[in-house]
């Protein structure tokens, strides 16, 4: 088997899922490559979309919300003959040539746009290959119903009805979970992890808002800092946002209860040491926390698909959420010392099987 994974540079979630799948395919001895779908049209266009997405996500979240809602309310936006579809089909020839030249027999998409583009390509030139789409959020994205692939791997079986209502065949749906990297599949003992990070005996909160470091992190950190006791520790992960990191380091340089971190390679151990995980409700972030049975508090960064992720975990009792940053900070500080509630939140994950989504996808698609 030779696998091509088609990702899409609009946020790191789709790329993270692609990398997690590739990591597991390689462990199974399967050749696997990742390709950015928009680069098939133009690398410059791909960079423009990626940079524009990051800018909008950080600084104009309301515009992102509007765009996502508009796409939900206008499903025909992605249909044949539309201007969006005409852009998509520009990738068709290059995509087909790459599949045939690379000898790929399996193509997996981690973004609905990639799945729509693959569908258009195979309608133009049918190939004898296996095709799949991996959903990276706890909802059925707009345009997913415009694709036709052999398998749709969805995050949870409770979402089956949502996908079938959009017209997707039930026998094509496989509740697999969302693929995460292997480091997040295992759980390290909490006290061992705390000792490794030199915070033994501390109540530990980890705050992270994606690789872009977006959202009201500064405000939330300020409110939390005012209520931290000597036995509390707050670790703030800024990801690739160097400006945010520099600003927070200056502000909390003398505070021994706050650690400001940039891009963290061993984020798994940091999460294992954590009693409460403060994050935006991204599909990958919440799936990593699910694997580790980690109670979450959601930052109000953007809505769109993340609104559905938030609702999914809050309804399960595994997370809390507040729009107001001060209220969220107060609830986090209370939760940090409420062991019984934290245990109950961790237990709420019991309805979600502790599974390796990448393994499930690989085993299923190999058996097709």
């Amino acid at each position: 088997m030779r696998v091509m994974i088609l990702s899409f540079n609009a946020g790191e979630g789709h790329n993270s899922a692609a990398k997690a799948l590739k990591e597991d395919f390689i462990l199974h001895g399967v050749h696997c490559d990742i390709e950015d779908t928009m680069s098939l049209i133009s690398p410059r266009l791909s960079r423009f979309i990626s940079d524009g997405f990051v800018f909008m996500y950080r600084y104009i979240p309301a515009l992102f919300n509007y765009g996502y809602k508009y796409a939900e309310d206008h499903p025909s936006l992605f249909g044949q003959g539309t201007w969006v579809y005409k852009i998509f089909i520009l990738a068709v020839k290059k995509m087909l040539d790459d599949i045939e030249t690379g000898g790929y027999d399996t193509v997996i998409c981690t973004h609905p746009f990639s799945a729509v583009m693959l569908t258009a390509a195979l309608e133009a030139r049918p190939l004898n290959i296996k095709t799949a789409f991996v959903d990276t959020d706890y909802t059925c994205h707009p345009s997913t119903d415009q694709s036709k692939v052999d398998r749709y791997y969805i995050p949870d079986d409770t979402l089956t009805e949502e996908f079938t209502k959009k017209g997707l065949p039930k026998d094509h749906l496989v509740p697999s979970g969302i693929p995460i990297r292997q480091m997040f599949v295992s759980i390290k003992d909490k006290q061992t992890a705390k000792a490794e990070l030199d915070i033994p005996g501390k109540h530990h909160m980890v705050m992270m808002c994606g690789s872009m470091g977006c959202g009201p992190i500064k405000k939330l950190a300020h409110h939390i800092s005012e209520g931290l006791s000597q036995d509390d520790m707050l670790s703030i992960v800024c990801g690739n946002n160097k400006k945010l990191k520099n600003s927070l380091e200056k502000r909390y340089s003398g505070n021994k209860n706050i650690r400001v971190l940039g891009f963290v390679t061993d984020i798994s151990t940091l999460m294992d040491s954590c009693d409460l995980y403060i994050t935006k409700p991204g599909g990958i972030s919440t799936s990593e926390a699910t694997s580790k049975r980690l109670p979450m508090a959601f930052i109000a960064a953007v809505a769109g698909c993340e609104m559905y992720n938030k609702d999914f975990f809050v309804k399960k009792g595994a997370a809390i959420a507040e729009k107001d940053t001060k209220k969220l900070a107060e609830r986090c500080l209370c939760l940090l010392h409420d062991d019984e509630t934290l245990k109950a939140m961790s237990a709420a994950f019991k309805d979600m099987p502790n599974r390796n989504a990448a393994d499930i996808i690989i085993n299923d698609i190999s058996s097709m």
Side-chain angles (χ1 to χ4, degrees), residues 5 25 41 73 148 156 161 172 217 221 247 252 262 290 308 361:
I5 300 177
F25 270 119
I41 300 174
D73 294 341
K148 293 180 181 178
D156 194 76
E161 185 178 354
H172 287 207
I217 289 181
S247 175
Y252 300 111
T290 296
Y308 298 106
I361 292 169

Side-chain angles (χ1 to χ4, degrees), residues 11 30 39 41 50 54 59 84 125 128 147 164 167 205 224 236 241 277 296 307 330 337-338 367:
V30 176
S39 290
I41 300 174
S50 178
V54 171
Y59 305 112
V84 177
R125 190 197 310 168
N128 185 25
S147 65
T164 55
M205 283 187 283
I224 290 176
I236 309 172
N241 194 333
Y277 184 38
M296 292 179 282
M307 174 182 66
E330 291 171 351
H337 296 269
D338 188 346
S367 67

Side-chain angles (χ1 to χ4, degrees), residues 251-264:
R251 184 163 190 171
Y252 300 111
S253 59
N255 194 321
K256 295 181 180 179
N257 299 99
I258 297 180
R259 290 183 175 183
V260 180
L261 308 170
F263 186 83
V264 179

Side-chain angles (χ1 to χ4, degrees), residues 56-185:
M56 180 169 57
Y57 205 88
R58 278 183 183 170
Y59 305 112
I60 326 174
L63 182 59
F64 177 87
N65 300 341
Y66 173 81
Y68 194 91
K69 185 69 168 62
Y70 185 87
E72 283 186 313
D73 294 341
H74 300 81
S76 61
L77 179 66
F78 306 96
Q80 292 188 16
T82 63
W83 67 269
V84 177
Y85 190 83
K86 288 177 180 177
I87 293 175
F88 286 169
I89 62 175
L90 294 175
V92 164
K93 185 180 184 305
K94 184 71 166 62
M95 182 184 291
L96 291 167
D97 289 346
D98 286 0
I99 292 171
E100 290 188 310
T101 302
Y104 300 106
D105 53 57
T106 304
V107 180
I108 302 173
C109 305
T110 58
H111 193 286
F113 289 177
S114 301
V116 173
M117 295 160 84
L118 176 63
T119 300
L122 295 179
E123 287 175 350
R125 190 197 310 168
L127 298 175
N128 185 25
I129 60 173
K130 293 180 282 189
T131 58
F133 166 67
V134 177
D135 196 300
T136 57
D137 287 290
Y138 291 80
T139 185
C140 183
H141 290 289
S143 81
T144 303
D145 57 340
Q146 298 294 324
S147 65
K148 293 180 181 178
V149 296
D150 299 320
R151 286 286 194 276
Y152 292 86
Y153 295 105
I154 65 176
D156 194 76
D157 56 4
T158 60
L159 298 170
T160 299
E161 185 178 354
E162 180 183 343
F163 281 79
T164 55
K165 280 185 176 180
K166 295 286 183 69
L168 297 167
K170 188 174 182 179
D171 59 348
H172 287 207
L173 304 179
V174 176
S176 61
I178 296 175
I180 56 176
R181 287 172 292 166
Q182 291 299 307
M183 71 167 73
F184 296 105
V185 175

Side-chain angles (χ1 to χ4, degrees), residues 314-328:
V314 169
K315 285 177 182 177
K316 280 192 173 293
I320 61 168
E322 290 284 353
K323 287 185 178 181
D324 183 81
T325 53
K326 188 173 183 180
K327 287 183 179 179
L328 181 62

Side-chain angles (χ1 to χ4, degrees), residues 220-240:
L220 191 54
H222 168 70
H223 292 309
I224 290 176
S225 67
E226 293 181 324
L228 290 174
S229 71
Q230 289 186 342
D231 293 327
D232 299 335
M233 175 67 71
L234 171 65
S235 295
I236 309 172
V237 182
C238 301
N240 297 319

Side-chain angles (χ1 to χ4, degrees), residues 329-347:
E330 291 171 351
R331 290 190 68 184
C332 287
L333 287 165
C334 288
L335 260 179
L336 192 61
H337 296 269
D338 188 346
D339 292 338
E340 290 303 313
T341 301
L342 288 174
K343 286 179 182 178
M345 292 174 71
S346 183

